[in-house]
Amino acid sequence: MCRNIKPLFNFDPPATDEEIHDAALQFVRKVSGTTKPSKRNEAAFEHAVSSIAACARELLGSLETSQPARDREEVAAKARARTAARFA
């Protein structure tokens, strides 16, 4: 799976529409093999991004967990620490 797609479930505050759209865009780019579609395929590309974003919103809205919500800053700090250790 694409490394740039981050988990969006169970965060406080919840994922924004922009984050969901960005994840959908990354997914469509990965599946299509292109970062920018040709003019001919632009409508299909945008439709796919919109459809996947809508499905992701629906999924995130229907998931349930008994775990407490994770803090975004704490998760980001852990990721930065892993990156620093990996590339140090």
Side-chain angles (χ1 to χ4, degrees):
M1 189 48 120
C2 186
R3 289 185 208 164
N4 294 334
I5 299 176
K6 306 294 183 215
L8 299 175
F9 177 62
N10 198 26
F11 279 101
D12 187 28
T16 64
D17 283 342
E18 183 179 352
E19 290 172 318
I20 294 170
H21 177 270
D22 290 347
L25 178 61
Q26 280 299 117
F27 180 77
V28 172
R29 285 175 173 169
K30 186 71 164 186
V31 170
S32 68
T34 182
T35 57
K36 188 170 195 284
S38 65
K39 289 285 184 192
R40 183 180 210 168
N41 294 322
E42 198 170 289
F45 193 88
E46 289 302 320
H47 177 72
V49 171
S50 297
S51 296
I52 291 169
C55 289
R57 262 186 233 99
E58 182 182 337
L59 172 66
L60 292 172
S62 63
L63 290 175
E64 298 178 11
T65 184
S66 60
Q67 298 296 315
R70 297 178 287 173
D71 181 80
R72 288 180 182 278
E73 291 303 318
E74 185 179 316
V75 171
K78 287 180 184 177
R80 284 191 296 273
R82 281 192 308 270
T83 299
R86 181 177 178 200
F87 295 109

